[in-house]
């Protein structure tokens, strides 16, 4: 992890050995942050410590020695420190990856405030009611957070949690977040998104990606006249932001749309065109600079499905085998998957 991401990882040996898949997901999170940081001047994390209840089973002297030896203070669940240390009081079987995105959102937000304190003032403009009173720390257990311009209940606690949650859900649970954003037509939440983009909390291309998801889903809902429009807009996005954290997903969207056309008997004469473009899109996703684990699996599944329509049985078997290879690599803790995938395996067998 230090070699790949310049991050020190502190974890109990048995936790790492027993949760190799968790290490892969941790690698995915750090790779995502690495790509984001290459687009801006933000600092990356310095260390991640994943502890579990064994810490609390130590006596006070043992706890003190443990903390001192790792050069940080604090053992709360999901603790971020200003120098780039994150402490998670759980193990890899828990939501470590999600927590790391959230805590890194704190760290990223703090860096923005150090550079430009106006960030908080601009953000808070969209966290007040019609009388100008703060909406933070009100109805914390209510399910109406979306109507009040928040992405989650946790975000309603205070400005810091609002920023961290908005970052996390924008870059990790993006499709789910965007659907909520579009459906709700919430002015306050959209205002925060614009502030986040302006100050660098969110990627500069986030707005364009939101529009792409909206266009893709409108086609899925049956608005077939949006097909060419989506293709044009997605192609422009990929040309402008070829190494973005969303490129693999955009290519998969394109692959899925081309694949859907193969099932339409009215255009069977153009089947080669749709097949080749679907295949090209899925392969482009596999070659993305940032390889999301889920997107990579979607690409392999897409190519496997295409092969069943047109390829000899031995090619189909090879693609099905590649899915097994990828899943085995995850379970065996191959932390290079978010960087390399299993592309070398696919190339050697001339599958891509």
């Amino acid at each position: 992890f230090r070699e790949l991401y310049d991050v020190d990882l502190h974890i109990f040996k048995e936790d790492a050995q027993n949760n190799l898949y968790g290490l892969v997901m941790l690698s995915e999170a750090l790779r995502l942050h690495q790509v984001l940081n290459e687009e801006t001047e933000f600092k990356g994390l310095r260390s991640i410590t994943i502890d579990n209840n064994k810490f609390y089973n130590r006596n006070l002297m043992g706890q003190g020695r443990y903390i001192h030896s790792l050069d940080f203070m604090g053992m709360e669940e999901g603790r971020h420190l200003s120098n780039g240390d994150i402490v998670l009081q759980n193990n890899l079987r828990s939501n470590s990856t999600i927590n790391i995105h959230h805590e890194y959102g704190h760290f990223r937000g703090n860096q923005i405030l150090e550079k430009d304190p106006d960030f908080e003032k601009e953000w808070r403009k969209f966290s007040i009611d019609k009388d100008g009173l703060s909406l933070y720390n009100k109805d914390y257990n209510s399910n109406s957070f979306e109507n009040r311009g928040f992405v989650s209940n946790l975000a309603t606690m205070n400005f810091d949690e609002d920023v961290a949650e908005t970052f996390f859900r924008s870059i990790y649970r993006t499709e789910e977040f965007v659907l909520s954003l579009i459906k709700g037509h919430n002015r306050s939440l959209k205002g925060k998104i614009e502030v986040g983009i302006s100050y660098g909390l969110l990627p500069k291309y986030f707005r364009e990606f939101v529009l792409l998801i909206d266009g893709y889903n409108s086609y899925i809902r049956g608005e077939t006249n949006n097909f060419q429009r989506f293709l044009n807009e997605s192609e422009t996005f990929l040309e402008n932001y070829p190494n973005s954290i969303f490129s693999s997903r955009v290519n998969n969207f394109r692959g899925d749309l081309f694949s859907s056309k193969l099932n339409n008997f009215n255009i069977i004469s153009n089947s080669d065109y749709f097949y080749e473009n679907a295949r090209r899109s899925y392969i482009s996703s596999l070659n993305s600079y940032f390889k999301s684990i889920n997107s990579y699996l979607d690409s392999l599944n897409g190519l496997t499905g295409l092969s069943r329509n047109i390829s000899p049985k031995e090619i189909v078997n090879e693609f099905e085998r590649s899915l097994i290879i990828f899943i085995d690599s995850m379970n065996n803790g191959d932390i290079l998957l978010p960087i390399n995938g299993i592309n070398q395996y696919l190339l050697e067998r001339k599958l891509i």
Side-chain angles (χ1 to χ4, degrees):
F1 277 92
R2 183 182 297 141
E3 181 180 347
L4 291 175
Y5 306 116
D6 196 27
V7 173
D8 288 336
L9 175 62
H10 304 291
I11 184 172
F12 284 102
K13 183 178 180 180
E14 57 267 34
D15 277 351
Q17 292 174 334
N18 294 333
N19 298 282
L20 297 175
Y21 172 75
L23 291 177
V24 175
M25 299 309 297
L26 181 59
S27 179
E28 179 196 61
L30 293 175
R31 175 60 175 168
L32 188 152
H33 298 166
Q34 185 181 60
V35 174
L36 281 178
N37 291 339
E38 289 175 357
E39 302 168 358
T40 62
E41 297 179 353
F42 287 96
K43 298 177 183 177
L45 297 175
R46 191 179 75 167
S47 74
I48 295 173
T49 297
I50 299 179
D51 199 4
N52 58 28
N53 289 330
K54 292 179 181 179
F55 171 82
Y56 292 101
N57 292 335
R58 302 171 185 228
N59 58 34
L60 290 178
M61 184 176 294
Q63 291 179 5
R65 288 173 179 166
Y66 180 73
I67 291 175
H68 179 72
S69 68
L70 295 183
D71 191 28
F72 62 78
M73 294 299 293
M75 194 54 70
E76 290 87 352
E77 181 170 353
R79 173 77 178 269
H80 71 283
L81 302 177
S82 59
N83 57 7
D85 294 323
I86 285 181
V87 182
L88 301 177
Q89 200 285 300
N90 55 26
N91 56 42
L92 287 177
R93 286 185 297 273
S94 301
N95 294 325
S96 299
T97 302
I98 292 173
N99 287 341
I100 286 171
H101 287 307
H102 174 95
E103 300 307 330
Y104 182 71
H106 281 299
F107 183 48
R108 199 172 175 95
N110 287 344
Q111 292 182 65
I112 296 173
L113 286 173
E114 289 175 3
K115 182 179 179 181
D116 195 340
D118 285 343
F119 170 58
E120 182 172 0
K121 181 179 71 174
E122 294 300 316
W123 187 279
R124 285 182 178 272
K125 288 179 181 179
F126 299 98
S127 301
I128 56 177
D129 62 20
K130 61 182 180 180
D131 298 318
L133 301 176
S134 174
L135 290 171
Y136 290 125
N137 204 23
K138 293 182 179 179
D139 299 324
Y140 176 64
N141 292 319
S142 171
N143 290 323
S144 64
F145 57 84
E146 287 183 351
N147 296 331
R148 292 178 289 132
F150 298 101
V151 296
S152 67
N153 276 330
L154 178 57
T156 68
M157 287 189 66
N158 52 52
F159 164 75
D160 291 330
E161 297 299 341
D162 195 9
V163 168
E165 278 290 281
T166 302
F167 171 80
F168 149 57
R169 292 176 186 275
S170 298
I171 58 100
Y172 189 67
R173 288 185 170 172
T174 313
E175 284 90 340
E176 174 188 320
F177 168 70
V178 169
L179 289 175
S180 173
L181 180 67
I182 294 171
K183 186 176 77 171
H185 301 290
N186 190 294
R187 174 185 170 275
S188 295
L189 188 51
K190 290 180 179 179
K192 291 176 185 178
I193 295 300
E194 292 301 321
V195 172
I197 294 173
S198 298
Y199 284 86
L201 177 73
L202 304 180
K204 60 184 178 181
Y205 44 78
F206 184 75
R207 187 185 302 107
E208 289 97 319
F209 186 62
V210 169
L211 295 176
L212 281 180
I213 293 179
D214 189 30
Y216 175 78
N217 284 303
S218 67
Y219 177 80
I220 296 300
R221 290 193 301 267
E223 300 175 27
T224 54
N225 58 318
N226 286 334
F227 178 75
Q228 193 58 49
R229 175 186 166 190
F230 174 82
L231 292 183
N232 293 339
E233 291 177 350
S234 60
E235 185 175 0
T236 299
F237 182 92
L238 292 169
E239 289 175 353
N240 291 337
Y241 313 109
N243 293 333
S244 82
I245 62 171
F246 300 131
S247 293
S248 62
R249 282 185 265 188
V250 173
N251 275 306
N252 277 342
F253 290 157
R254 290 171 62 86
D256 290 346
L257 290 193
F258 283 122
S259 294
S260 70
K261 289 291 188 179
L262 289 172
N263 298 321
N264 188 334
F265 294 103
N266 295 326
I267 55 169
I268 194 66
S269 60
N270 293 325
S271 60
D272 288 346
Y273 166 81
F274 292 112
Y275 171 82
E276 290 300 328
N277 278 281
R279 176 177 164 78
R280 187 178 300 116
S281 296
Y282 290 134
I283 292 176
S284 294
S285 180
L286 294 178
N287 288 322
S288 294
Y289 189 52
F290 165 66
K291 295 175 176 56
S292 157
I293 297 299
N294 286 336
S295 288
Y296 201 92
L297 273 172
D298 288 343
S299 304
L300 287 177
N301 275 311
L303 287 169
T304 303
L306 285 176
S307 70
R308 294 190 181 110
N309 291 330
I310 200 169
S311 301
K313 181 63 176 176
E314 55 269 23
I315 298 298
V316 177
N317 291 340
E318 286 286 1
F319 273 114
E320 291 176 345
R321 176 65 180 163
S322 72
L323 283 166
I324 297 173
I325 294 293
F326 185 76
I327 292 171
D328 285 346
S329 297
M330 287 193 299
N331 292 332
N332 291 326
D334 183 356
I335 63 172
L336 291 174
L337 285 179
I339 300 174
N340 299 330
I342 57 167
N343 285 13
Q344 188 59 40
Y345 174 89
L346 298 172
L347 285 167
E348 289 172 356
R349 284 151 184 81
K350 299 181 179 180
L351 297 177
I352 61 175

